[in-house]
Coordinates of all heavy atoms in Angstrom, one line a residue:
L1250 N 12.3 9.0 4.4 CA 12.3 8.5 3.0 C 10.8 8.4 2.5 O 10.0 7.9 3.2 CB 12.9 7.1 3.0 CG 13.1 6.4 1.7 CD1 14.3 5.4 1.7 CD2 11.8 5.6 1.2
V1251 N 10.6 8.8 1.3 CA 9.2 8.7 0.7 C 9.3 7.9 -0.6 O 10.1 8.2 -1.4 CB 8.5 10.1 0.5 CG1 9.3 11.0 -0.4 CG2 7.1 9.9 0.0
G1252 N 8.5 6.9 -0.7 CA 8.4 6.1 -1.9 C 7.4 6.9 -2.8 O 6.2 7.0 -2.5
Y1253 N 7.9 7.4 -3.9 CA 7.1 8.3 -4.7 C 6.8 7.6 -6.1 O 7.6 7.1 -6.7 CB 7.8 9.6 -5.0 CG 7.1 10.5 -6.0 CD1 6.0 11.3 -5.5 CD2 7.4 10.6 -7.3 CE1 5.3 12.1 -6.4 CE2 6.7 11.4 -8.2 CZ 5.6 12.1 -7.7 OH 4.9 12.9 -8.6
V1254 N 5.5 7.8 -6.5 CA 5.0 7.4 -7.8 C 4.2 8.6 -8.3 O 3.6 9.3 -7.5 CB 4.2 6.1 -7.8 CG1 5.0 4.9 -7.5 CG2 3.0 6.2 -6.9
P1255 N 4.2 8.9 -9.6 CA 3.5 10.0 -10.1 C 2.0 9.7 -10.2 O 1.5 9.4 -11.3 CB 4.1 10.2 -11.5 CG 4.7 8.9 -11.9 CD 5.1 8.2 -10.6
S1256 N 1.3 9.8 -9.1 CA -0.1 9.6 -9.0 C -0.7 10.3 -7.8 O 0.1 10.9 -7.0 CB -0.4 8.0 -8.9 OG 0.1 7.6 -7.6
L1278 N 14.2 12.2 1.6 CA 14.8 11.4 0.4 C 13.6 10.9 -0.4 O 12.9 10.0 0.1 CB 15.7 10.3 0.9 CG 16.2 9.3 -0.1 CD1 17.0 10.0 -1.2 CD2 17.0 8.2 0.5
V1279 N 13.5 11.3 -1.6 CA 12.4 10.9 -2.5 C 13.0 9.7 -3.3 O 14.0 9.9 -4.0 CB 11.9 12.0 -3.4 CG1 10.9 11.5 -4.4 CG2 11.4 13.2 -2.6
V1280 N 12.3 8.6 -3.3 CA 12.8 7.4 -4.0 C 11.7 7.0 -5.0 O 10.6 6.8 -4.6 CB 13.1 6.2 -3.1 CG1 13.5 5.0 -3.9 CG2 14.2 6.6 -2.1
N1281 N 12.1 6.9 -6.3 CA 11.2 6.5 -7.4 C 11.9 5.3 -8.1 O 13.1 5.5 -8.4 CB 10.9 7.6 -8.3 CG 10.0 7.2 -9.5 OD1 10.5 7.2 -10.6 ND2 8.8 6.8 -9.2
T1282 N 11.2 4.2 -8.2 CA 11.9 3.0 -8.8 C 11.1 2.4 -9.9 O 9.9 2.6 -10.0 CB 12.1 1.9 -7.7 OG1 10.9 1.4 -7.3 CG2 12.9 2.5 -6.5
S1283 N 11.8 1.6 -10.7 CA 11.2 0.8 -11.7 C 12.1 -0.4 -11.9 O 13.3 -0.3 -11.8 CB 11.0 1.5 -13.0 OG 10.5 0.6 -14.0
R1284 N 11.5 -1.6 -12.2 CA 12.3 -2.7 -12.5 C 13.0 -2.6 -13.9 O 14.0 -3.2 -14.1 CB 11.4 -4.0 -12.6 CG 11.0 -4.5 -11.2 CD 10.2 -5.8 -11.4 NE 9.7 -6.2 -10.1 CZ 9.5 -7.4 -9.8 NH1 9.8 -8.4 -10.7 NH2 9.1 -7.7 -8.6
D1290 N 6.3 2.1 -17.8 CA 6.0 1.9 -16.4 C 5.4 3.2 -15.8 O 6.1 4.1 -15.6 CB 7.3 1.5 -15.6 CG 7.0 1.1 -14.2 OD1 5.8 1.4 -13.7 OD2 7.9 0.7 -13.5
P1291 N 4.1 3.2 -15.6 CA 3.4 4.4 -15.1 C 3.9 4.9 -13.8 O 3.7 6.0 -13.4 CB 2.0 4.1 -15.1 CG 1.9 2.6 -15.1 CD 3.1 2.1 -15.8
R1292 N 4.6 4.0 -13.0 CA 5.1 4.3 -11.7 C 6.4 5.0 -11.8 O 6.9 5.6 -10.8 CB 5.2 3.1 -10.8 CG 3.8 2.5 -10.5 CD 4.0 1.1 -9.9 NE 4.8 0.3 -10.9 CZ 4.6 -0.9 -11.1 NH1 3.8 -1.6 -10.4 NH2 5.4 -1.6 -12.0
F1293 N 7.1 4.9 -12.9 CA 8.4 5.6 -13.1 C 8.2 7.0 -13.5 O 7.7 7.3 -14.5 CB 9.2 4.8 -14.1 CG 10.7 5.1 -14.1 CD1 11.5 4.8 -13.0 CD2 11.3 5.7 -15.1 CE1 12.8 5.0 -12.9 CE2 12.7 6.0 -15.1 CZ 13.4 5.6 -14.0
A1294 N 8.6 7.9 -12.6 CA 8.4 9.4 -12.8 C 9.2 9.9 -14.0 O 10.4 9.5 -14.2 CB 8.8 10.1 -11.5
Q1295 N 8.6 10.8 -14.7 CA 9.3 11.4 -15.8 C 9.9 12.7 -15.3 O 9.6 13.2 -14.2 CB 8.3 11.7 -17.0 CG 7.6 10.5 -17.5 CD 8.6 9.5 -18.0 OE1 9.5 9.8 -18.9 NE2 8.5 8.2 -17.6
D1298 N 7.7 15.4 -13.7 CA 7.2 15.0 -12.4 C 8.2 15.2 -11.3 O 7.9 15.8 -10.2 CB 6.9 13.5 -12.4 CG 5.8 13.1 -13.4 OD1 4.8 13.8 -13.4 OD2 6.0 12.0 -14.0
L1299 N 9.5 14.9 -11.6 CA 10.5 15.1 -10.6 C 10.8 16.5 -10.4 O 11.2 17.0 -9.3 CB 11.8 14.3 -11.1 CG 11.6 12.8 -11.1 CD1 12.9 12.1 -11.6 CD2 11.2 12.2 -9.8
V1302 N 8.2 17.8 -8.1 CA 8.4 17.3 -6.7 C 9.5 18.2 -6.1 O 9.4 18.6 -4.9 CB 8.9 15.8 -6.7 CG1 9.5 15.4 -5.4 CG2 7.7 15.0 -7.1
T1314 N 16.7 15.2 -1.3 CA 17.4 14.5 -2.4 C 16.4 13.6 -3.1 O 15.5 13.1 -2.5 CB 18.5 13.6 -1.7 OG1 19.3 14.3 -0.9 CG2 19.3 12.9 -2.8
V1315 N 16.6 13.5 -4.4 CA 15.7 12.7 -5.2 C 16.6 11.6 -5.9 O 17.6 11.9 -6.5 CB 15.0 13.5 -6.3 CG1 14.2 12.6 -7.2 CG2 14.2 14.6 -5.7
R1316 N 16.2 10.4 -5.7 CA 16.9 9.2 -6.3 C 15.9 8.4 -7.1 O 14.8 8.1 -6.7 CB 17.4 8.3 -5.2 CG 18.6 9.0 -4.4 CD 19.2 8.1 -3.4 NE 19.8 6.9 -4.0 CZ 20.2 5.9 -3.3 NH1 20.1 5.9 -2.0 NH2 20.7 4.8 -3.9
Q1317 N 16.3 8.2 -8.4 CA 15.5 7.4 -9.3 C 16.3 6.2 -9.7 O 17.4 6.3 -10.2 CB 15.1 8.2 -10.5 CG 14.0 7.6 -11.3 CD 13.4 8.6 -12.3 OE1 14.2 9.3 -12.9 NE2 12.1 8.5 -12.5
L1318 N 15.8 5.0 -9.4 CA 16.5 3.8 -9.5 C 15.8 2.8 -10.5 O 14.6 2.7 -10.5 CB 16.6 3.1 -8.2 CG 17.2 3.9 -7.0 CD1 17.0 3.2 -5.7 CD2 18.7 4.2 -7.3
M1319 N 16.6 2.2 -11.4 CA 16.1 1.2 -12.3 C 17.2 0.1 -12.4 O 18.0 0.1 -13.2 CB 15.9 1.8 -13.7 CG 15.1 0.8 -14.6 SD 14.8 1.4 -16.3 CE 14.5 3.1 -16.2
R1320 N 17.1 -0.8 -11.4 CA 18.1 -1.8 -11.3 C 17.6 -3.2 -11.3 O 18.2 -4.2 -10.9 CB 18.9 -1.6 -10.0 CG 19.5 -0.2 -9.9 CD 20.4 0.0 -8.7 NE 19.8 -0.1 -7.4 CZ 20.3 0.2 -6.3 NH1 21.5 0.7 -6.2 NH2 19.6 0.1 -5.1
A1324 N 10.2 -2.2 -5.8 CA 10.3 -1.1 -4.9 C 10.6 -1.4 -3.5 O 11.4 -0.8 -2.8 CB 9.0 -0.2 -5.0
E1327 N 14.3 -2.1 -3.1 CA 15.1 -0.9 -3.2 C 15.0 -0.1 -1.9 O 16.0 0.4 -1.3 CB 14.7 0.0 -4.4 CG 14.9 -0.7 -5.7 CD 16.4 -0.7 -6.1 OE1 17.3 -0.4 -5.3 OE2 16.6 -1.1 -7.3
I1328 N 13.8 0.0 -1.4 CA 13.6 0.8 -0.1 C 14.2 0.1 1.0 O 14.9 0.8 1.9 CB 12.1 1.0 0.1 CG1 11.6 2.1 -0.9 CG2 11.8 1.5 1.5 CD1 10.1 2.2 -1.0
I1331 N 18.0 0.8 1.0 CA 18.3 2.2 1.4 C 18.2 2.4 2.9 O 19.0 3.0 3.5 CB 17.4 3.2 0.6 CG1 17.8 3.2 -0.9 CG2 17.6 4.6 1.2 CD1 16.8 3.9 -1.8

Side-chain angles (χ1 to χ4, degrees):
L1250 184 152
V1251 59
Y1253 176 78
V1254 293
S1256 68
L1278 171 59
V1279 178
V1280 177
N1281 177 249
T1282 69
S1283 175
R1284 285 184 184 209
D1290 183 351
R1292 296 168 302 213
F1293 197 64
Q1295 301 302 309
D1298 299 316
L1299 296 177
V1302 166
T1314 305
V1315 177
R1316 291 181 62 187
Q1317 195 170 38
L1318 307 168
M1319 191 181 327
R1320 303 188 295 193
E1327 295 289 5
I1328 289 172
I1331 292 168

